[in-house]
Amino acid sequence: MTAYPTNHDIAEVFSAIADLMEILDEDRFRVQAYRRAGDVIRHLPAPLATYRARGELEQIPGVGKAIAEKIGELLDTGELPYYNRLREKVPPGVRELLRVPGIGPRTAGRLYRELGITSLAELKVAAEAGRLAALKGFGAKTIDSILQGISAAERQERRMLLAHAIDSAEALINALRAAVPALSQAAYAGSLRRGRPTVGDLDILAAADDAPAVVRAFTMLPLVARVESAGDEKASILLHNGMQADLIAVPPGMWGSALQHFTGSKAHNIHFRELALAQGLSFSEHGFRRADGTLLTCATEEEVYAAIGLPWIPPELREDEGEFEAARAGTLPCLVELSDIRADLHLHSTWSDGRADIRTMAEAARTRGYSHIAITDHSAYMGMTHGLDAERLRAQRQEIAALNAEYAARGIPFRILHGVEVDITPEGNLALPDDVLAELDIVVASAHIQLRQSPEAATERLIRAVRNPHVDIIGHPVGRMLGSRDGAPVDIDALAYAAAEHRVLLEVNSGPHRLDLDGAAVRRALASGAVITINSDAHHPDNLAWMRFGVVTARRGWAGAAQVANTWSDEALQEWLSRR
Ligand code: DGT
Ligand code: CA
Ligand code: CA
Ligand code: ZN
């Protein structure tokens, strides 16, 4: 843990304590108390340090004297001896079992205490060997679903977030460029280039006259922990951060065909090769082989697609979901680009759980060339004292008005919209009254708790929010967290239809764990006539840069700039929202 633990860090500690106690079969009520504390802290609108400074820790629901003391210890030292002692009693691999869908702490505890299982690998061996049947209450069906869960957990473990993968791929490419001055081109391909929310491995492509020298240099980069295989054109390595990377090195004249091939997807490539074959061309990463045996090489991807009579297809569309048909018909969309974005309509500040004040967030947005932003701090909800209520919203409004006046006086064409991120209750009500919402420039409505609902309830919840005349944006509509939680089973078509009718924007939240709506949902939403907005949901000025991941996600949903409301001017946005 870092020297200054965040609410999230501390919440994780309490959740871990609850898991460990449950694994050890300790008192249910104490387990529940820690679990509740973890959940509540995770959703607090202000830093725990602020609560403590005001002597209000024990006013947080679920936080009593004992937990308040532990929060204090964690804030001061970053450590909790009580937690460390618990961890010593349970091998680390036992908590890993919880990643298997269907295995909770109680089951993990029984697997550990009754069968001595201390890791996913051991669980797999035991399940396959039929040893789980020895446990009371473990029928064939349970064991079967555990086996399926294990492979799901294994798959998940190996995939990384797009944002992390891009960071590493760019670092690798920069290091390679520095090591090989004669490199003519280098780029990442694979699912990373297609912008998938998670990525299995990094596929790096390099072009140089001396391909084997590039492979050698690649395997010797300091970032590389282990070389798994290496030849003249290819190498597979493991990075120190645990990521797997493939390098393919080609002569510059083959760059286009290699880039096309290694970008994928596999389904796109299969369809592509069928189309090529129909024209008597056999395609591989080396180029097109004609019937007479001669090779047609392609230095650019444009040449690759042109060879079979198609325009270049953007990588984000290459999933064989209609892109070939659109390319042939000349109806490929002109996709939104990062440079089209001129606003970020979901930002937090220190007024709730953000890490920087409004001015700092605004200046970060100006640095990015934006013309307007919305500050949308959290509403007070679930009895939280530091979310915004009517009174604090009024105070915040004055601060924003003063900043806007300052920009106007300095002749800077930049405006801060005063907004809020208001909670949608499980029933679809909003956590602030209508007259308070009416005073705001823009309202983001989001669901944060109790996302496990039936499809009907989850959809109705959001549609009720859409129907509120003050709501302008539905934030992270599905509520998924990549790697830890599926989203709510929202009917995207029904939501989008309602959003289009009531002129409410659907968000593509750019947070690396969210990317919500995802590409497929964006495509459906646009088809139902909805308009989207791509927002960073930044809690820190650095996080405004997440916008690029949201843009890639929207592109995977075939979104053009006109369908993304934050490519519009402030006036155009106001005009659109007011015409309802
Ligand atoms: P990932 O890594 O699981 O997120 O997904 P991709 O799409 O990056 O897949 P990967 O790394 O296995 O391969 C990268 C691309 O290279 C893939 O999209 C298509 C191409 N490719 C690689 N191996 C094969 C293959 O055996 N057959 C075909 N058709 N294409 C391949
Ligand atoms: Ca890959
Ligand atoms: Ca690969
Ligand atoms: Zn937010």
Side-chain angles (χ1 to χ4, degrees), residues 503-529:
R503 294 220 168 194
V504 169
L505 304 168
L506 298 182
E507 182 177 75
V508 174
N509 189 292
S510 310
H513 283 92
R514 290 194 181 274
L515 299 179
D516 166 17
L517 299 174
D518 69 8
V522 167
R523 200 166 169 198
R524 298 192 78 113
L526 295 176
S528 296

mmCIF file of all heavy atoms in Angstrom, residues 503-529:
data_model
loop_
_atom_site.group_PDB
_atom_site.id
_atom_site.type_symbol
_atom_site.label_atom_id
_atom_site.label_comp_id
_atom_site.label_asym_id
_atom_site.label_seq_id
_atom_site.Cartn_x
_atom_site.Cartn_y
_atom_site.Cartn_z
ATOM 1 N N ARG A 503 -34.415 13.169 -25.484
ATOM 2 C CA ARG A 503 -33.199 13.951 -25.676
ATOM 3 C C ARG A 503 -32.277 13.868 -24.462
ATOM 4 O O ARG A 503 -31.900 14.891 -23.869
ATOM 5 C CB ARG A 503 -33.542 15.411 -25.980
ATOM 6 C CG ARG A 503 -34.248 15.532 -27.304
ATOM 7 C CD ARG A 503 -33.774 16.738 -28.056
ATOM 8 N NE ARG A 503 -34.253 16.660 -29.419
ATOM 9 C CZ ARG A 503 -33.800 17.425 -30.396
ATOM 10 N NH1 ARG A 503 -32.877 18.314 -30.150
ATOM 11 N NH2 ARG A 503 -34.264 17.309 -31.604
ATOM 12 N N VAL A 504 -31.953 12.660 -24.122
ATOM 13 C CA VAL A 504 -30.967 12.424 -23.067
ATOM 14 C C VAL A 504 -29.781 11.726 -23.718
ATOM 15 O O VAL A 504 -29.950 10.836 -24.552
ATOM 16 C CB VAL A 504 -31.574 11.559 -21.939
ATOM 17 C CG1 VAL A 504 -30.499 11.079 -20.973
ATOM 18 C CG2 VAL A 504 -32.642 12.356 -21.203
ATOM 19 N N LEU A 505 -28.580 12.167 -23.361
ATOM 20 C CA LEU A 505 -27.372 11.592 -23.940
ATOM 21 C C LEU A 505 -26.974 10.338 -23.173
ATOM 22 O O LEU A 505 -27.091 10.292 -21.955
ATOM 23 C CB LEU A 505 -26.226 12.603 -23.871
ATOM 24 C CG LEU A 505 -26.504 13.960 -24.528
ATOM 25 C CD1 LEU A 505 -25.426 14.976 -24.134
ATOM 26 C CD2 LEU A 505 -26.552 13.789 -26.042
ATOM 27 N N LEU A 506 -26.498 9.330 -23.885
ATOM 28 C CA LEU A 506 -25.965 8.134 -23.238
ATOM 29 C C LEU A 506 -24.449 8.240 -23.219
ATOM 30 O O LEU A 506 -23.825 8.564 -24.229
ATOM 31 C CB LEU A 506 -26.409 6.869 -23.984
ATOM 32 C CG LEU A 506 -27.923 6.643 -24.023
ATOM 33 C CD1 LEU A 506 -28.242 5.331 -24.739
ATOM 34 C CD2 LEU A 506 -28.522 6.634 -22.607
ATOM 35 N N GLU A 507 -23.877 7.978 -22.064
ATOM 36 C CA GLU A 507 -22.439 8.174 -21.909
ATOM 37 C C GLU A 507 -21.634 6.971 -22.378
ATOM 38 O O GLU A 507 -22.022 5.827 -22.185
ATOM 39 C CB GLU A 507 -22.114 8.440 -20.435
ATOM 40 C CG GLU A 507 -20.635 8.700 -20.177
ATOM 41 C CD GLU A 507 -20.348 9.043 -18.729
ATOM 42 O OE1 GLU A 507 -20.362 8.147 -17.863
ATOM 43 O OE2 GLU A 507 -20.117 10.234 -18.458
ATOM 44 N N VAL A 508 -20.484 7.279 -22.989
ATOM 45 C CA VAL A 508 -19.399 6.309 -23.068
ATOM 46 C C VAL A 508 -18.386 6.791 -22.034
ATOM 47 O O VAL A 508 -17.711 7.791 -22.238
ATOM 48 C CB VAL A 508 -18.747 6.261 -24.464
ATOM 49 C CG1 VAL A 508 -17.525 5.346 -24.443
ATOM 50 C CG2 VAL A 508 -19.752 5.785 -25.500
ATOM 51 N N ASN A 509 -18.355 6.125 -20.905
ATOM 52 C CA ASN A 509 -17.444 6.510 -19.832
ATOM 53 C C ASN A 509 -16.062 5.958 -20.175
ATOM 54 O O ASN A 509 -15.908 4.772 -20.441
ATOM 55 C CB ASN A 509 -17.963 5.931 -18.514
ATOM 56 C CG ASN A 509 -17.203 6.444 -17.316
ATOM 57 O OD1 ASN A 509 -16.024 6.125 -17.151
ATOM 58 N ND2 ASN A 509 -17.864 7.222 -16.481
ATOM 59 N N SER A 510 -15.052 6.852 -20.184
ATOM 60 C CA SER A 510 -13.722 6.479 -20.680
ATOM 61 C C SER A 510 -12.820 5.876 -19.619
ATOM 62 O O SER A 510 -11.672 5.549 -19.913
ATOM 63 C CB SER A 510 -13.026 7.700 -21.269
ATOM 64 O OG SER A 510 -13.867 8.360 -22.179
ATOM 65 N N GLY A 511 -13.302 5.758 -18.385
ATOM 66 C CA GLY A 511 -12.473 5.163 -17.334
ATOM 67 C C GLY A 511 -11.989 3.789 -17.781
ATOM 68 O O GLY A 511 -12.788 2.998 -18.279
ATOM 69 N N PRO A 512 -10.683 3.505 -17.628
ATOM 70 C CA PRO A 512 -10.137 2.246 -18.153
ATOM 71 C C PRO A 512 -10.831 0.991 -17.642
ATOM 72 O O PRO A 512 -10.873 -0.009 -18.351
ATOM 73 C CB PRO A 512 -8.674 2.278 -17.693
ATOM 74 C CG PRO A 512 -8.358 3.725 -17.566
ATOM 75 C CD PRO A 512 -9.624 4.391 -17.094
ATOM 76 N N HIS A 513 -11.386 1.032 -16.431
ATOM 77 C CA HIS A 513 -12.117 -0.132 -15.929
ATOM 78 C C HIS A 513 -13.563 -0.158 -16.421
ATOM 79 O O HIS A 513 -14.257 -1.139 -16.248
ATOM 80 C CB HIS A 513 -12.157 -0.140 -14.393
ATOM 81 C CG HIS A 513 -10.880 -0.570 -13.784
ATOM 82 N ND1 HIS A 513 -9.891 0.326 -13.428
ATOM 83 C CD2 HIS A 513 -10.405 -1.796 -13.477
ATOM 84 C CE1 HIS A 513 -8.888 -0.349 -12.914
ATOM 85 N NE2 HIS A 513 -9.162 -1.636 -12.929
ATOM 86 N N ARG A 514 -14.029 0.945 -16.945
ATOM 87 C CA ARG A 514 -15.448 1.003 -17.323
ATOM 88 C C ARG A 514 -15.649 0.781 -18.820
ATOM 89 O O ARG A 514 -16.166 -0.224 -19.242
ATOM 90 C CB ARG A 514 -16.038 2.358 -16.907
ATOM 91 C CG ARG A 514 -16.184 2.517 -15.396
ATOM 92 C CD ARG A 514 -17.079 3.705 -15.083
ATOM 93 N NE ARG A 514 -17.269 3.957 -13.666
ATOM 94 C CZ ARG A 514 -18.204 3.371 -12.912
ATOM 95 N NH1 ARG A 514 -19.018 2.499 -13.443
ATOM 96 N NH2 ARG A 514 -18.320 3.664 -11.626
ATOM 97 N N LEU A 515 -15.269 1.749 -19.644
ATOM 98 C CA LEU A 515 -15.559 1.711 -21.084
ATOM 99 C C LEU A 515 -17.002 1.247 -21.270
ATOM 100 O O LEU A 515 -17.289 0.184 -21.811
ATOM 101 C CB LEU A 515 -14.545 0.837 -21.820
ATOM 102 C CG LEU A 515 -13.106 1.371 -21.658
ATOM 103 C CD1 LEU A 515 -12.088 0.497 -22.352
ATOM 104 C CD2 LEU A 515 -12.994 2.814 -22.181
ATOM 105 N N ASP A 516 -17.889 2.097 -20.781
ATOM 106 C CA ASP A 516 -19.307 1.758 -20.598
ATOM 107 C C ASP A 516 -20.104 3.007 -20.942
ATOM 108 O O ASP A 516 -19.929 4.041 -20.286
ATOM 109 C CB ASP A 516 -19.476 1.343 -19.135
ATOM 110 C CG ASP A 516 -20.913 1.274 -18.662
ATOM 111 O OD1 ASP A 516 -21.817 1.236 -19.505
ATOM 112 O OD2 ASP A 516 -21.104 1.250 -17.433
ATOM 113 N N LEU A 517 -20.926 2.888 -21.989
ATOM 114 C CA LEU A 517 -21.257 1.793 -22.883
ATOM 115 C C LEU A 517 -20.035 1.236 -23.623
ATOM 116 O O LEU A 517 -19.100 1.981 -23.908
ATOM 117 C CB LEU A 517 -22.271 2.280 -23.944
ATOM 118 C CG LEU A 517 -23.602 2.770 -23.389
ATOM 119 C CD1 LEU A 517 -24.445 3.342 -24.492
ATOM 120 C CD2 LEU A 517 -24.378 1.623 -22.717
ATOM 121 N N ASP A 518 -20.093 -0.037 -24.006
ATOM 122 C CA ASP A 518 -19.043 -0.592 -24.832
ATOM 123 C C ASP A 518 -19.410 -0.441 -26.314
ATOM 124 O O ASP A 518 -20.482 0.075 -26.652
ATOM 125 C CB ASP A 518 -18.759 -2.047 -24.452
ATOM 126 C CG ASP A 518 -19.900 -2.988 -24.821
ATOM 127 O OD1 ASP A 518 -20.866 -2.562 -25.502
ATOM 128 O OD2 ASP A 518 -19.821 -4.163 -24.435
ATOM 129 N N GLY A 519 -18.509 -0.884 -27.181
ATOM 130 C CA GLY A 519 -18.700 -0.664 -28.612
ATOM 131 C C GLY A 519 -20.006 -1.230 -29.145
ATOM 132 O O GLY A 519 -20.743 -0.556 -29.867
ATOM 133 N N ALA A 520 -20.298 -2.469 -28.770
ATOM 134 C CA ALA A 520 -21.520 -3.107 -29.285
ATOM 135 C C ALA A 520 -22.754 -2.331 -28.832
ATOM 136 O O ALA A 520 -23.706 -2.143 -29.610
ATOM 137 C CB ALA A 520 -21.583 -4.559 -28.811
ATOM 138 N N ALA A 521 -22.753 -1.873 -27.583
ATOM 139 C CA ALA A 521 -23.910 -1.141 -27.058
ATOM 140 C C ALA A 521 -24.028 0.222 -27.745
ATOM 141 O O ALA A 521 -25.138 0.680 -28.027
ATOM 142 C CB ALA A 521 -23.776 -0.968 -25.542
ATOM 143 N N VAL A 522 -22.906 0.857 -28.029
ATOM 144 C CA VAL A 522 -22.939 2.146 -28.728
ATOM 145 C C VAL A 522 -23.604 1.965 -30.090
ATOM 146 O O VAL A 522 -24.469 2.749 -30.496
ATOM 147 C CB VAL A 522 -21.510 2.717 -28.910
ATOM 148 C CG1 VAL A 522 -21.502 3.869 -29.911
ATOM 149 C CG2 VAL A 522 -20.952 3.179 -27.559
ATOM 150 N N ARG A 523 -23.230 0.893 -30.768
ATOM 151 C CA ARG A 523 -23.777 0.679 -32.107
ATOM 152 C C ARG A 523 -25.291 0.495 -32.057
ATOM 153 O O ARG A 523 -26.029 1.054 -32.870
ATOM 154 C CB ARG A 523 -23.096 -0.540 -32.743
ATOM 155 C CG ARG A 523 -23.233 -0.542 -34.240
ATOM 156 C CD ARG A 523 -22.305 -1.526 -34.878
ATOM 157 N NE ARG A 523 -22.639 -1.684 -36.281
ATOM 158 C CZ ARG A 523 -22.241 -2.710 -37.013
ATOM 159 N NH1 ARG A 523 -21.480 -3.649 -36.485
ATOM 160 N NH2 ARG A 523 -22.590 -2.780 -38.286
ATOM 161 N N ARG A 524 -25.740 -0.265 -31.088
ATOM 162 C CA ARG A 524 -27.188 -0.457 -30.929
ATOM 163 C C ARG A 524 -27.865 0.853 -30.574
ATOM 164 O O ARG A 524 -28.938 1.181 -31.092
ATOM 165 C CB ARG A 524 -27.469 -1.464 -29.800
ATOM 166 C CG ARG A 524 -26.917 -2.840 -30.038
ATOM 167 C CD ARG A 524 -27.504 -3.781 -29.017
ATOM 168 N NE ARG A 524 -28.857 -4.124 -29.398
ATOM 169 C CZ ARG A 524 -29.218 -5.341 -29.762
ATOM 170 N NH1 ARG A 524 -28.314 -6.309 -29.778
ATOM 171 N NH2 ARG A 524 -30.448 -5.597 -30.108
ATOM 172 N N ALA A 525 -27.241 1.587 -29.652
ATOM 173 C CA ALA A 525 -27.847 2.839 -29.186
ATOM 174 C C ALA A 525 -27.987 3.825 -30.346
ATOM 175 O O ALA A 525 -29.025 4.471 -30.510
ATOM 176 C CB ALA A 525 -27.004 3.441 -28.063
ATOM 177 N N LEU A 526 -26.942 3.919 -31.170
ATOM 178 C CA LEU A 526 -26.996 4.848 -32.300
ATOM 179 C C LEU A 526 -28.067 4.414 -33.298
ATOM 180 O O LEU A 526 -28.789 5.243 -33.859
ATOM 181 C CB LEU A 526 -25.626 4.933 -32.989
ATOM 182 C CG LEU A 526 -24.492 5.526 -32.150
ATOM 183 C CD1 LEU A 526 -23.178 5.468 -32.924
ATOM 184 C CD2 LEU A 526 -24.797 6.957 -31.722
ATOM 185 N N ALA A 527 -28.183 3.106 -33.475
ATOM 186 C CA ALA A 527 -29.189 2.603 -34.407
ATOM 187 C C ALA A 527 -30.603 2.929 -33.931
ATOM 188 O O ALA A 527 -31.520 3.073 -34.736
ATOM 189 C CB ALA A 527 -29.021 1.088 -34.580
ATOM 190 N N SER A 528 -30.790 3.056 -32.614
ATOM 191 C CA SER A 528 -32.100 3.431 -32.080
ATOM 192 C C SER A 528 -32.289 4.940 -32.037
ATOM 193 O O SER A 528 -33.253 5.424 -31.451
ATOM 194 C CB SER A 528 -32.280 2.852 -30.674
ATOM 195 O OG SER A 528 -32.270 1.455 -30.725
ATOM 196 N N GLY A 529 -31.326 5.672 -32.568
ATOM 197 C CA GLY A 529 -31.487 7.115 -32.668
ATOM 198 C C GLY A 529 -30.911 7.910 -31.520
ATOM 199 O O GLY A 529 -31.057 9.128 -31.458
#
